[in-house]
Amino acid sequence: MEKSKKYVTISVAAFICYCNTLWGSFVFDDTEAIVKNKDVMPYIPLKEIFRNDFWGTDISLNSSHKSYRPLTILSYRLNVLYSNNKLDAFQFHATNVILYGVLCLLTIPVFELFLKKKKVEKNVNDTAYLSSLLFTVHPIHTECVAGLVGRADILCSILFFTVILLYDKVLAKKSFLLLTLTVLTVAAAVLCKEIAITALGMCVAYDVFFTKKKKKDWIEVFNTYFILRSIILTITGLAILFYRFKIMNFEGPTFTSIDNPAAYAENVLVRTFSYNYIYFINFLLLLWPQWLCFDWSMGCIPLIESWCDVRLACVFTLWTTAVLAARAVIRRVVETGVLDPRVMAICLMILPFLPASNLFLKVGFVIAERTLLLSSAGFCLLVAIGFKKIESCIPNHKSALLALFYTTCVIFTIRSIQRNSSWLMEEKLFASALDVCPLNAKVHYNIAKIAGDKNNKLLALYEYKKAIELNPNYEQAMNNLANLLREDKNFEEAEVLLRKALNVRPNFAAAWMNLGIVLTNLNQTEEAEHCYKTAIRYRNKYPDCYYNLGNLYLDLKRNEEALEAWEMAVLYRPTHVAAWSNTLVLLDSMRQYDRVLELGRTALAHNPKSPALHFSIANTLGKIQRFEEAEGHFLEAINLNPLNALYYSNLGVLYHRWGRPDKAREMYVKALHIDPGMKTTESNLQKLNAQD
């Protein structure tokens, strides 16, 4: 097949597989990484991107997830700029699909390097092309493309393959300038996602492969130039690691046994066998990606704790296969004296997976399909090499074998499209996970969260309770369930759940705040104040907690302290309308009208479309008889919220006092039309009519 046709075919295949993701929304982790991440917005200084983690939290804090991907965040910001400072899901998804197409096209020259076949005869389906085609349609990639958070993996993989292509030029031309460019590309790739540091290991492996394929002795392979290049790559790796640890204040992320049960198993054998079974599942997902799930934690894969566990057979099968494969490759090297391309395929499978293997550090997940993006490239290359080997053994059945290969690609394409449909909406994504991991407490938690957002309280209550039943220490589920119970005024039950959640995680700031709200409703104000202050101690910038603390002080008639608390709330979140509104209302009741108008201007600067703020300012202006200005703010409040009867009623009062009875009558009538039960408004209308 001609080179241009290969690239066109790969591009079309990538688009067919993922064109239905273009109409997806922000789902699962996209909400935290993009929608709620202030670093994505253009008004935030660029330096903040390099100070915060992937989720927008200061990476030096203990509460940070410690994932550091500033270039990925920068790509999100470019999407926002291109969409006129809006979060347009279509733009984000279109970018992911384009980047994935670029990644798939890059695999062709990379595979050709490994296969030493840069030129092929016409009409011959070469191994590199078949490998790239299989890689393009592989369903394991759906999480990376359909899930916008997966862009980190795509960007990192693009630069990963670019590093390999650059390093090939370094070896061919022995250019220090190209080596410097390669090192800088590795650094950029790591700023997209951390696993890109394994590109340095791939460079060393390719260095040996590049030299050894010329049938040189091993002594010639490990020459002075090889050692010098290896030292430069090692220093680069150490420098990147040092910077990485320094930026995170030399503190690792805080994970729990819930996130990764195997890593916290005390028995070495339990830990070892469980890890190896997880490796088997990862390989199985590459071989036949039928069972795909957005989250594999919390009960998806129970630990192997007994010699009678049948899953041990899978572990032994995995290692038997690995030993036999290694034996075959080593024997080939010994017999020919040349490194087989399969060596590079195996390196590409294993090296990028090492950071997720738990061998060097604990990770915060059991299985993450996105971590297999690069490893799947090595897997696809191995499959294509094996396919060509079988084809050479039975040349009379080439057409049948090729038809079988393409049929597999078609099946994978259909599976990719099918899986993408689950990523279009969170409800479908979470529901699909129940088929794979029905014992996963996190799946039930997410279903409950969606149900709660849609006011389906019965389903939300059931699913939260199911999540807690599966994982009795699931503090987030306890917190959310307590909030639902609080809304139904079941304060005692809510208190019990929140105290349990805090026993599990004493630094759970949201639970401390919610416990404060519950205790306030139970008239335990002294302890409620303590809870709010504890929440603020664990999360300094906590506007919602300051807001609720201010409400408590207001109930206790501690007005100045209430104002101070609300001041902190709007300091950390200038768009906190409720805190602004409460401040203005309290100051108005204290007859501090000048402060109301001064703070009101500041509040409107941050929240120009808030009807509540316009309404508060209008009431104050009316009291000091600045009727025209008050009328303007009342009308703006009504324009923003035309169904609020109180706005019409108070505007009627303004007109009444202003001496404009016809206008006053019109506003009173409109208010009563919206809410006939407004007795004060009805009384005002009767007084007005009596005056006539």
Side-chain angles (χ1 to χ4, degrees):
M1 185 182 287
E2 294 178 7
K3 201 161 190 175
S4 59
K5 289 183 179 179
K6 290 192 296 184
Y7 285 104
V8 170
T9 303
I10 295 299
S11 300
V12 171
F15 180 75
I16 290 173
C17 284
Y18 293 101
C19 62
N20 62 329
T21 66
L22 295 175
W23 290 271
S25 57
F26 298 101
V27 299
F28 193 41
D29 286 341
D30 299 344
T31 304
E32 296 296 327
I34 300 173
V35 178
K36 295 182 180 180
N37 189 349
K38 63 183 186 303
D39 291 341
V40 172
M41 304 309 295
Y43 60 79
I44 298 297
L46 275 175
K47 64 180 181 181
E48 292 297 313
I49 295 178
F50 294 89
R51 291 173 52 184
N52 296 335
D53 65 17
F54 187 55
W55 312 95
T57 303
D58 188 339
I59 197 169
S60 64
L61 299 178
N62 291 332
S63 58
S64 169
H65 193 271
K66 305 298 183 182
S67 50
Y68 186 64
R69 301 158 195 172
L71 293 188
T72 303
I73 295 296
L74 184 59
S75 77
Y76 295 149
R77 181 178 284 209
L78 291 175
N79 276 131
V80 174
L81 283 170
Y82 189 75
S83 304
N84 296 320
N85 297 338
K86 295 179 182 177
L87 291 172
D88 184 352
F90 182 88
Q91 296 286 350
F92 279 85
H93 283 287
T95 303
N96 264 31
V97 173
I98 292 170
L99 289 172
Y100 181 71
V102 172
L103 172 63
C104 295
L105 292 175
L106 272 176
T107 59
I108 297 178
V110 170
F111 290 155
E112 287 176 345
L113 286 183
F114 296 166
L115 293 161
K116 304 174 291 181
K117 291 183 180 179
K118 294 186 178 180
K119 294 182 180 180
V120 294
E121 296 179 10
K122 226 174 183 182
N123 299 322
V124 174
N125 289 290
D126 60 288
T127 310
Y129 164 68
L130 294 177
S131 304
S132 297
L133 181 61
L134 186 61
F135 174 84
T136 301
V137 301
H138 204 297
I140 201 68
H141 304 159
T142 54
E143 181 176 356
C144 293
V145 188
L148 295 172
V149 169
R151 185 181 299 179
D153 299 88
I154 298 175
L155 286 172
C156 142
S157 300
I158 289 173
L159 293 174
F160 186 99
F161 286 141
T162 303
V163 167
I164 295 173
L165 295 173
L166 283 171
Y167 200 70
D168 177 64
K169 300 297 183 183
V170 171
L171 298 180
K173 298 182 179 181
K174 294 183 172 58
S175 167
F176 181 77
L177 181 62
L178 282 174
L179 182 58
T180 303
L181 182 59
T182 302
V183 165
L184 292 175
T185 306
V186 173
V190 172
L191 293 178
C192 293
K193 191 170 183 180
E194 298 81 355
I195 63 169
I197 197 170
T198 58
L200 296 170
M202 280 299 298
C203 287
V204 175
Y206 183 72
D207 203 332
V208 176
F209 175 76
F210 179 87
T211 310
K212 187 60 182 168
K213 71 182 182 182
K214 299 178 180 178
K215 295 189 177 182
K216 291 187 176 182
D217 292 334
W218 287 106
I219 295 177
E220 294 180 78
V221 172
F222 298 111
N223 55 35
T224 303
Y225 292 110
F226 171 82
I227 294 172
L228 181 60
R229 287 192 297 269
S230 298
I231 290 174
I232 292 173
L233 293 176
T234 302
I235 292 173
T236 299
L238 292 174
I240 290 172
L241 287 174
F242 176 78
Y243 173 78
R244 185 68 176 78
F245 283 115
K246 182 180 179 182
I247 199 72
M248 56 196 276
N249 204 28
F250 295 96
E251 295 177 351
T254 303
F255 298 127
T256 65
S257 59
I258 293 174
D259 302 311
N260 186 358
Y264 291 86
E266 295 182 1
N267 189 294
V268 176
L269 288 177
V270 170
R271 191 162 60 246
T272 302
F273 286 134
S274 297
Y275 280 161
N276 282 276
Y277 181 68
I278 291 170
Y279 303 154
F280 171 80
I281 294 295
N282 276 282
F283 183 76
L284 187 62
L285 291 174
L286 291 175
L287 191 63
W288 186 243
Q290 173 63 33
W291 306 277
L292 299 178
C293 184
F294 76 94
D295 186 274
W296 290 81
S297 63
M298 295 192 185
C300 257
I301 302 180
L303 300 179
I304 296 179
E305 300 179 292
S306 169
W307 287 100
C308 299
D309 197 316
V310 295
R311 292 176 296 167
L312 283 173
C314 299
V315 174
F316 294 137
T317 300
L318 174 69
W319 284 108
T320 301
T321 304
V323 169
L324 292 175
R327 180 174 173 271
V329 171
I330 293 171
R331 186 173 63 182
R332 175 66 182 272
V333 173
V334 172
E335 290 176 354
T336 62
V338 179
L339 287 181
D340 192 284
R342 289 177 295 178
V343 173
M344 291 308 299
I346 292 171
C347 287
L348 186 55
M349 272 189 71
I350 295 175
L351 289 178
F353 183 73
L354 287 178
S357 66
N358 288 287
L359 293 177
F360 300 104
L361 49 87
K362 292 178 182 178
V363 297
F365 55 85
V366 178
I367 291 175
E369 293 159 17
R370 58 185 175 273
T371 63
L372 295 174
L373 180 60
L374 282 167
S375 295
S376 67
F379 170 81
C380 292
L381 180 56
L382 273 180
V383 171
I385 291 172
F387 170 78
K388 298 300 283 188
K389 182 72 173 178
I390 296 172
E391 190 181 64
S392 65
C393 294
I394 46 176
N396 295 332
H397 296 84
K398 281 186 177 182
S399 297
L401 287 171
L402 197 58
L404 179 62
F405 185 90
Y406 283 128
T407 299
T408 302
C409 289
V410 170
I411 293 172
F412 273 21
T413 300
I414 294 171
R415 175 60 179 140
S416 294
I417 295 171
Q418 179 192 41
R419 180 58 181 162
N420 290 337
S421 66
S422 297
W423 278 90
L424 296 179
M425 297 176 62
E426 284 191 326
E427 296 94 325
K428 293 183 67 176
L429 180 64
F430 299 152
S432 68
L434 287 178
D435 296 330
V436 180
C437 295
L439 300 180
N440 187 333
K442 193 171 185 177
V443 171
H444 292 278
Y445 168 84
N446 281 292
I447 292 174
K449 196 173 179 182
I450 291 292
D453 292 341
K454 294 195 170 184
N455 291 321
N456 188 348
K457 284 193 175 182
L458 288 177
L459 178 59
L461 288 169
Y462 172 80
E463 291 293 347
Y464 278 134
K465 289 176 180 178
K466 184 67 176 178
I468 296 170
E469 177 188 330
L470 292 169
N471 180 7
N473 292 323
Y474 202 166
E475 78 282 8
Q476 288 178 310
M478 294 177 197
N479 177 66
N480 288 17
L481 178 57
N483 283 338
L484 288 179
L485 293 171
R486 173 173 58 82
E487 290 173 7
D488 290 338
K489 302 191 183 302
N490 293 328
F491 300 121
E492 290 79 7
E493 291 182 57
E495 180 186 1
V496 171
L497 280 169
L498 289 168
R499 292 191 186 279
K500 283 183 179 179
L502 290 170
N503 283 335
V504 175
R505 198 200 326 169
N507 64 345
F508 193 178
W512 279 111
M513 181 189 74
N514 290 326
L515 181 58
I517 296 172
V518 168
L519 292 174
T520 299
N521 283 280
L522 292 172
N523 294 319
Q524 299 180 34
T525 54
E526 186 175 340
E527 189 177 359
E529 181 181 3
H530 168 73
C531 290
Y532 289 137
K533 289 183 175 179
T534 304
I536 292 168
R537 187 170 75 248
Y538 287 123
R539 189 191 299 178
N540 294 331
K541 300 177 181 180
Y542 203 172
D544 287 334
C545 193
Y546 278 111
Y547 168 72
N548 284 295
L549 179 60
N551 291 345
L552 174 66
Y553 287 145
L554 179 65
D555 292 339
L556 297 174
K557 310 300 183 184
R558 294 157 63 177
N559 292 347
E560 290 301 328
E561 290 175 274
L563 290 171
E564 289 175 7
W566 291 330
E567 181 182 359
M568 296 302 294
V570 298
L571 173 66
Y572 293 128
R573 191 193 299 164
T575 57
H576 203 306
V577 173
W580 280 117
S581 184
N582 282 13
T583 299
L584 299 183
V585 171
L586 178 57
L587 288 172
D588 183 89
S589 69
M590 296 167 66
R591 302 192 178 193
Q592 297 186 25
Y593 302 132
D594 289 340
R595 286 187 67 188
V596 172
L597 298 180
E598 180 185 352
L599 289 176
R601 284 191 292 270
T602 305
L604 283 178
H606 294 289
N607 309 277
K609 300 298 183 182
S610 169
L613 294 179
H614 282 286
F615 178 70
S616 295
I617 293 169
N619 283 328
T620 299
L621 288 168
K623 289 178 181 179
I624 60 176
Q625 297 187 355
R626 291 164 61 174
F627 296 130
E628 289 187 11
E629 294 176 67
E631 179 190 26
H633 283 287
F634 272 129
L635 291 174
E636 184 62 22
I638 290 170
N639 180 55
L640 293 168
N641 186 1
L643 298 179
N644 192 314
L646 187 60
Y647 295 172
Y648 291 100
S649 178
N650 281 30
L651 179 55
V653 172
L654 179 77
Y655 285 138
H656 201 154
R657 295 176 58 206
W658 196 357
R660 302 175 67 178
D662 293 338
K663 284 281 189 180
R665 184 179 294 105
E666 180 186 352
M667 292 302 112
Y668 288 149
V669 170
K670 286 185 177 180
L672 291 170
H673 178 74
I674 296 171
D675 184 4
M678 299 183 72
K679 299 300 181 183
T680 303
T681 304
E682 186 177 359
S683 175
N684 288 340
L685 180 58
Q686 289 173 356
K687 290 177 182 178
L688 184 63
N689 290 332
Q691 291 175 2
D692 292 345

